[in-house]
């Protein structure tokens, strides 16, 4: 998949956007417009779907291949975003359910899955909605299997509430573990046993919320099922870390990799937490920290792996839009302003520009397989 990562996203004209994949949502009409609606706008969600989400395809592929997911898999994707990982799992024959707190990304996931020939069932305050009136549909061009799709706003605590008759999952994925606080991780946390003890232990709130979310998800899975947690690899193996430090500095937070790099960050003030920068569960960068988080959630680590996930962009403008779409820079934009943030991201990208104008940043992501 690596050669496909650099796509031509022209900053000056929406007409310049090619459509290499018809399953992707339509491009925004003005890619460089200011974003007054904030980080949760549909424009930012489209940038995530068109530019940034594909960068994690090698991670999705590696996990799915290792766990041999297929027609017998019932997958719950936490923080499913605009649905690319769900689509890849459904293409293998899995029955998939995705949760996400961002309504714009969830709407794009619904569009993307529908374009691929699957009719997702969407749950919301108005009840169950299905464009095609079916829970399970046959994949276009593939008569060998069917794939059910459910999309649920919020966190895993909403799954049983929205569909209590659904069978238990056999696989849970949290490919972007730092999204937990903005994905309903705290739903029902006060009622969970052990939460008071965790609070007394001095753990930061995002870490407690992460453990809470994973416990809720594990309760929906068959005993012994795999729970996959993923995050950035070591900073020295991730070129993008130097760009992400812009977010920490502008948000008046200690930079990544510095002593106390996540201390004093405090609880999130809004916006989407993503891609592993403060505010985040403390220590997510460490070699064994994914295992530690799994154990805090009552899970048993059962293997791990590393995957190269280079970030490739057609030009600096596309890189800026893609990085902004992650939500990493939301706090920095609130602390300063969007113009300043874009300017400093552009400067930080300079070492990664190639002579042809493309931007290339090698990164390593790490995942842990834990068992319920």
């Amino acid at each position: 998949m690596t050669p496909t990562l650099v796509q031509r996203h022209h900053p000056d004209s929406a007409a310049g956007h090619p459509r290499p994949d018809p399953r992707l949502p339509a491009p925004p009409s003005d890619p460089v417009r200011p974003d007054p609606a904030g980080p949760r706008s549909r424009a930012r969600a489209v940038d995530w779907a068109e530019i940034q989400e594909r960068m994690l395809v090698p991670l999705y592929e590696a996990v799915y291949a290792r766990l041999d997911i297929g027609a017998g898999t019932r997958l719950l994707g936490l923080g499913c975003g605009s649905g690319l990982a769900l689509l890849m799992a459904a293409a293998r024959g899995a029955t998939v359910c995705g949760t996400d707190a961002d309504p714009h990304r969830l709407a794009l996931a619904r569009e993307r899955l529908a374009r691929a020939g699957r009719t997702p069932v969407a749950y919301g305050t108005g009840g169950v909605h299905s464009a095609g009136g079916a829970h399970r549909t046959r994949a276009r061009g593939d008569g060998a299997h069917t794939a059910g799709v459910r999309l649920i706003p919020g966190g895993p605590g909403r799954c049983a509430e929205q569909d209590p008759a659904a069978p238990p999952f056999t696989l849970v994925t949290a490919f972007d573990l730092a999204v937990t606080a903005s994905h309903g991780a705290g739903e029902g946390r006060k009622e969970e046993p052990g939460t008071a003890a965790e609070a007394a232990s001095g753990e930061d709130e995002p870490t407690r919320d992460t453990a809470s979310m994973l416990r809720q998800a594990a309760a929906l899975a068959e005993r012994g099922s795999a729970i996959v947690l993923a995050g950035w690899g070591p900073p020295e193996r991730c070129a993008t870390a130097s760009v992400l430090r812009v977010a920490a500095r502008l948000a008046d937070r200690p930079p990544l990799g510095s002593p106390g790099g996540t201390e004093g960050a405090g609880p999130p003030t809004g916006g989407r937490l993503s891609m592993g920068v403060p505010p985040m569960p403390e220590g997510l960068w460490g070699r064994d920290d994914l295992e530690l988080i799994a154990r805090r959630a009552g899970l048993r680590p059962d293997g791990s792996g590393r995957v190269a996930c280079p970030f490739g962009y057609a030009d600096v403008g596309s890189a800026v839009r893609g990085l902004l779409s992650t939500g990493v820079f939301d706090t920095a934009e609130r602390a300063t302003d969007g113009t300043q943030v874009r300017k400093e991201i552009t400067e930080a990208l300079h070492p990664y520009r190639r002579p042809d104008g493309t931007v290339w940043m090698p990164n390593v992501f790490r995942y842990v397989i834990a068992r319920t």
Side-chain angles (χ1 to χ4, degrees), residues 174-238:
F175 284 125
D176 193 359
L177 192 58
V179 307
T180 54
S182 61
H183 281 271
E187 292 175 3
R189 178 159 56 84
K190 292 181 180 179
E191 289 76 21
E192 289 190 5
T195 301
E198 288 175 356
S201 71
E203 287 182 349
D204 57 280
E205 183 176 350
T207 299
R208 295 196 302 272
D209 283 347
T210 302
S212 172
M213 179 198 69
L214 294 175
R215 280 193 294 269
Q216 292 174 37
L220 301 172
E222 291 182 354
R223 184 170 181 82
S225 296
I227 313 288
V228 178
L229 320 179
W232 291 92
E236 64 271 14
R237 300 284 304 277
C238 298

Side-chain angles (χ1 to χ4, degrees), residues 251-332:
D252 195 26
R253 301 182 187 278
L256 291 171
S258 66
T262 59
E263 294 177 4
T269 55
R272 179 182 173 86
L273 309 184
S274 184
M275 309 300 284
V277 297
M280 58 173 283
E282 184 176 359
L284 195 58
W285 290 91
R287 186 186 66 178
D288 300 319
D289 287 327
L290 289 174
E291 286 89 345
L292 178 60
I293 291 172
R295 291 191 181 96
R296 286 173 175 170
L299 304 173
R300 172 175 55 86
D302 188 33
S304 64
R306 290 186 179 184
V307 183
C309 291
F311 285 10
Y313 306 94
D315 50 46
V316 171
S318 295
V320 172
R321 288 171 52 207
L323 291 168
L324 286 174
S325 76
T326 66
V328 166
F329 298 89
D330 292 354
T331 304

